């Protein structure tokens, strides 16, 4: 009988033994950072992101480790370090500290081959704060791994090394208090990060005070038109309950461009929308157009910002103080590019909405330019030229409350569609 008793656990051990983490490798490809966890056998997994600071979590069934359980990562610019610990419910949690916001671009397993072990693979892409926030709701892999709710926050066992010990507490905190298995609402755009938070929109009525902007022949001033449209747009946006709107000015004052930008960053705005009206020599041209920052303009700005902001702290989720000038430049460039994609996305949705609401557009109405006001590196930004004050019909239109309501509701439609898309991108 003793022999039989001995055999039982042994057989069980063969079938149910903990997977062994044999290595963690990294790869960089086309802007993505790949994490490969090598295992001695197939294992289930669960992957999600956490904020404050940004972290990636990989949960595995309770695992043995052949490699150190915490270690700095010396590959690419995205990952700082990893640490791991065992959770109740038979789980092992690996937490990667990130240097900036990112999204999970893919998470899957690969079976062993003649040249490789069983693997869990996670691809990360650097992202804007917006996309990162939207991605917090997504869980990749087996949501019910270990049968444990994500919300449980069991304490970690004492890790061996001093560094790991210091971080023990933050690993325990790594389990989010609000379970990130919550599904994002489908049809209506909802604010990110919980029901209370509204998207923050900074509206920037162009010009003001001593700077009238364009002057129409009848004495109509651009600065008054932009303010009237911004007020109407604010009213409509706030009426939805989804947006908190901050105006760079709500009266006739002059504000420096840089201060307008700083306001968007200080408010941690989700979008920055600058409103203008154009004027040219010809009086037969009319229609609205939407500008986003051009690539060449942003390159120079990126370099300058990297230089200036090196002493100023965090931009686009990048802590510039802790980076070399060169690395800071690269990280900022990535953040800027992501933001430009989002700005272009918004511009396209605005164009669509303008067409649907019969707001006349210029041909090729989405344009790029190096407008200073578009250069906040961490806030998707567009500049809308609402029309031409050099065209008498358009002066009349832009001065009418009816048209101001219509163009505002078109902008609101475009912004709604933009946030729906941003959220949908995270559900693929
Ligand atoms: Zn203007």
């Amino acid at each position: 009988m003793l022999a039989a008793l001995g055999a039982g656990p042994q057989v069980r051990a063969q079938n149910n033994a903990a997977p062994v983490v044999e290595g963690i490798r990294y790869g960089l490809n086309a802007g993505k950072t790949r994490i490969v966890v090598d295992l001695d056998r197939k294992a289930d997994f669960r992957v999600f992101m956490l904020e404050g600071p940004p972290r990636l979590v990989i949960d595995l069934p309770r695992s043995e480790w052949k490699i150190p359980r915490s270690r700095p990562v010396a590959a690419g610019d995205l990952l700082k370090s990893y640490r791991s610990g065992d959770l109740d419910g038979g789980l092992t949690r690996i937490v990667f500290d990130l240097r900036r916001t990112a999204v999970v671009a893919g998470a899957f397993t690969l079976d062993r081959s003649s040249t490789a072990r069983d693997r869990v693979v996670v691809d990360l892409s650097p992202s804007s704060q917006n996309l990162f926030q939207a991605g917090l709701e997504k869980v990749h892999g087996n949501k019910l791994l270990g049968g444990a709710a994500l919300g449980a926050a069991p304490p970690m066992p004492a890790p061996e090394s001093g560094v790991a010990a210091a971080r023990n507490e933050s690993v325990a905190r790594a389990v989010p208090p609000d379970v990130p298995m919550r599904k994002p609402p489908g049809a209506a755009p909802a604010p990110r990060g919980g029901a209370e938070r509204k998207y923050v929109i900074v509206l920037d009525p162009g010009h003001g005070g001593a700077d009238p902007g364009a002057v129409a022949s009848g004495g109509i001033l651009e600065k008054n038109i932009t303010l009237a449209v911004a007020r109407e747009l604010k009213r409509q946006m706030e009426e939805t309950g989804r947006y908190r709107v901050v105006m760079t000015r709500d009266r006739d004052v002059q504000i420096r461009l840089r201060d307008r930008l700083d306001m968007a960053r200080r408010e941690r705005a989700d979008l920055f929308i600058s409103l203008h009206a154009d004027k040219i020599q010809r009086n037969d041209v009319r229609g609205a157009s939407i500008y986003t920052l051009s690539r060449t303009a942003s390159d120079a700005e990126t370099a300058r910002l990297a230089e200036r902001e090196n002493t100023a702290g965090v931009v686009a989720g990048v802590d510039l103080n802790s980076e070399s000038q060169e690395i800071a430049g690269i990280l900022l460039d990535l953040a800027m590019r992501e933001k430009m994609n989002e700005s272009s996305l918004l511009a396209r949705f605005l164009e669509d909405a303008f067409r649907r609401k019969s707001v006349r557009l210029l041909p090729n109405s989405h344009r790029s330019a190096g407008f200073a006001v578009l250069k906040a590196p961490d806030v998707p930004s567009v500049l809308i030229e609402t029309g031409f004050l050099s065209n008498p019909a358009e002066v009349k239109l832009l001065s009418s409350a009816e048209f101001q309501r219509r163009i505002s509701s078109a902008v609101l439609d475009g912004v709604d569609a933009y946030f729906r898309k941003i959220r949908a991108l995270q559900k693929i």
Side-chain angles (χ1 to χ4, degrees), residues 218-238:
I220 302 279
L221 305 178
E222 180 186 353
K223 67 174 183 177
N224 295 334
I225 288 185
T226 58
L227 184 57
V229 173
R231 281 176 174 157
E232 171 60 18
L233 180 52
K234 178 182 201 287
R235 189 189 66 74
Q236 291 190 20
M237 285 183 146
E238 289 185 338

Side-chain angles (χ1 to χ4, degrees), residues 318-385:
V318 179
D319 182 356
L320 298 166
N321 290 322
S322 68
E323 309 295 350
S324 74
Q325 186 114 338
E326 191 192 345
I327 301 243
I330 293 167
L331 295 178
L332 254 185
D333 185 57
L334 283 170
M336 179 79 92
R337 222 173 293 174
E338 182 72 30
K339 189 214 64 169
M340 284 171 59
N341 290 342
E342 288 182 49
S343 303
S344 295
L345 189 67
L346 173 63
R348 283 208 296 278
F349 281 123
L350 287 171
E351 280 185 300
D352 285 353
F354 277 34
R355 279 193 201 98
R356 276 199 305 275
K357 291 263 154 97
S358 304
V359 176
R360 185 193 295 255
L361 286 162
L362 271 183
N364 303 317
S365 51
H366 175 199
R367 297 159 177 235
S368 304
F371 286 119
V373 81
L374 293 177
K375 291 177 182 174
D378 40 7
V379 183
S381 309
V382 294
L383 184 149
I384 302 175
E385 293 282 2

Side-chain angles (χ1 to χ4, degrees), residues 144-369:
L144 301 175
L145 185 65
L150 292 179
M156 298 277 294
E160 320 85 289
S161 84
V163 178
R167 285 173 164 175
N168 183 28
E169 180 210 335
S170 56
V171 177
R173 269 193 284 120
V175 190
D178 68 351
V179 181
M181 286 169 62
R182 208 159 22 86
K183 280 279 167 231
R192 70 193 186 194
E196 298 79 28
R197 190 188 181 280
K198 298 179 177 186
Y199 289 117
V200 178
I201 313 291
V202 170
L203 292 183
D204 174 46
H207 312 281
D211 167 20
V215 180
S217 55
I220 302 279
L221 305 178
E222 180 186 353
K223 67 174 183 177
N224 295 334
I225 288 185
T226 58
L227 184 57
V229 173
R231 281 176 174 157
E232 171 60 18
L233 180 52
K234 178 182 201 287
R235 189 189 66 74
Q236 291 190 20
M237 285 183 146
E238 289 185 338
E239 210 172 65
T240 67
R242 292 190 289 274
Y243 304 104
R244 182 168 74 82
V245 177
V246 179
M247 309 251 286
T248 55
R249 67 180 182 97
D250 56 7
R251 56 205 171 89
D252 187 17
V253 289
Q254 194 164 6
I255 296 174
R256 290 183 312 171
L257 291 179
R258 183 50 69 180
D259 292 341
R260 296 172 193 251
L261 284 188
D262 287 347
M263 202 174 298
R265 289 176 50 193
R266 205 169 48 241
E267 298 285 342
R268 303 176 67 89
D270 294 289
L271 287 182
F272 178 88
I273 301 175
S274 191
L275 297 163
H276 286 257
D278 212 348
K279 185 180 179 182
I280 55 172
Q281 295 299 324
R282 295 168 53 178
N283 66 7
D284 58 334
V285 175
R286 54 185 300 191
S289 48
I290 298 150
Y291 287 84
T292 53
L293 189 60
S294 71
R295 187 74 196 114
T296 38
S298 72
D299 277 342
E301 182 69 9
T302 300
R304 204 190 56 73
L305 255 172
E307 200 175 321
R308 185 170 71 87
E309 303 291 1
N310 243 348
T311 53
V314 177
V315 176
V318 179
D319 182 356
L320 298 166
N321 290 322
S322 68
E323 309 295 350
S324 74
Q325 186 114 338
E326 191 192 345
I327 301 243
I330 293 167
L331 295 178
L332 254 185
D333 185 57
L334 283 170
M336 179 79 92
R337 222 173 293 174
E338 182 72 30
K339 189 214 64 169
M340 284 171 59
N341 290 342
E342 288 182 49
S343 303
S344 295
L345 189 67
L346 173 63
R348 283 208 296 278
F349 281 123
L350 287 171
E351 280 185 300
D352 285 353
F354 277 34
R355 279 193 201 98
R356 276 199 305 275
K357 291 263 154 97
S358 304
V359 176
R360 185 193 295 255
L361 286 162
L362 271 183
N364 303 317
S365 51
H366 175 199
R367 297 159 177 235
S368 304

Side-chain angles (χ1 to χ4, degrees), residues 27-262:
L28 302 170
N29 184 28
K32 288 195 180 100
T33 298
R34 169 162 290 189
I35 301 168
V36 180
V37 181
D38 288 317
L39 300 164
D40 73 328
R41 70 196 64 201
K42 268 186 218 262
D44 226 355
F45 73 97
R46 171 170 74 196
V47 166
F48 56 94
M49 305 290 287
L50 293 170
E51 63 181 327
R55 284 154 295 165
L56 166 76
V57 174
I58 304 176
D59 283 342
L60 298 170
R62 181 72 58 88
S63 306
E64 304 291 330
W65 285 63
K66 266 196 185 165
I67 58 169
R69 296 202 63 151
S70 66
R71 193 189 256 179
V73 177
D77 303 326
L78 189 56
L79 303 169
K80 210 184 286 179
S81 57
Y82 76 80
R83 54 212 149 86
S84 67
D86 296 333
L87 304 183
D88 286 346
L91 292 180
T92 290
R93 169 156 296 178
I94 313 173
V95 178
F96 284 88
D97 292 302
L98 308 185
R99 293 184 191 279
R100 52 154 306 178
T101 50
V103 292
V104 176
F108 50 92
T109 55
L110 288 173
D111 291 343
R112 79 174 44 238
S113 66
S114 55
T115 54
R117 303 174 180 90
D118 286 296
R119 287 149 287 168
V120 172
V121 179
V122 180
D123 287 333
L124 286 178
S125 290
S127 80
S128 66
Q129 183 71 17
N130 276 2
L131 282 173
F132 170 71
Q133 290 281 346
L136 289 173
E137 311 214 1
K138 182 142 177 90
V139 179
H140 306 258
N142 182 357
K143 293 175 176 61
L144 301 175
L145 185 65
L150 292 179
M156 298 277 294
E160 320 85 289
S161 84
V163 178
R167 285 173 164 175
N168 183 28
E169 180 210 335
S170 56
V171 177
R173 269 193 284 120
V175 190
D178 68 351
V179 181
M181 286 169 62
R182 208 159 22 86
K183 280 279 167 231
R192 70 193 186 194
E196 298 79 28
R197 190 188 181 280
K198 298 179 177 186
Y199 289 117
V200 178
I201 313 291
V202 170
L203 292 183
D204 174 46
H207 312 281
D211 167 20
V215 180
S217 55
I220 302 279
L221 305 178
E222 180 186 353
K223 67 174 183 177
N224 295 334
I225 288 185
T226 58
L227 184 57
V229 173
R231 281 176 174 157
E232 171 60 18
L233 180 52
K234 178 182 201 287
R235 189 189 66 74
Q236 291 190 20
M237 285 183 146
E238 289 185 338
E239 210 172 65
T240 67
R242 292 190 289 274
Y243 304 104
R244 182 168 74 82
V245 177
V246 179
M247 309 251 286
T248 55
R249 67 180 182 97
D250 56 7
R251 56 205 171 89
D252 187 17
V253 289
Q254 194 164 6
I255 296 174
R256 290 183 312 171
L257 291 179
R258 183 50 69 180
D259 292 341
R260 296 172 193 251
L261 284 188
D262 287 347

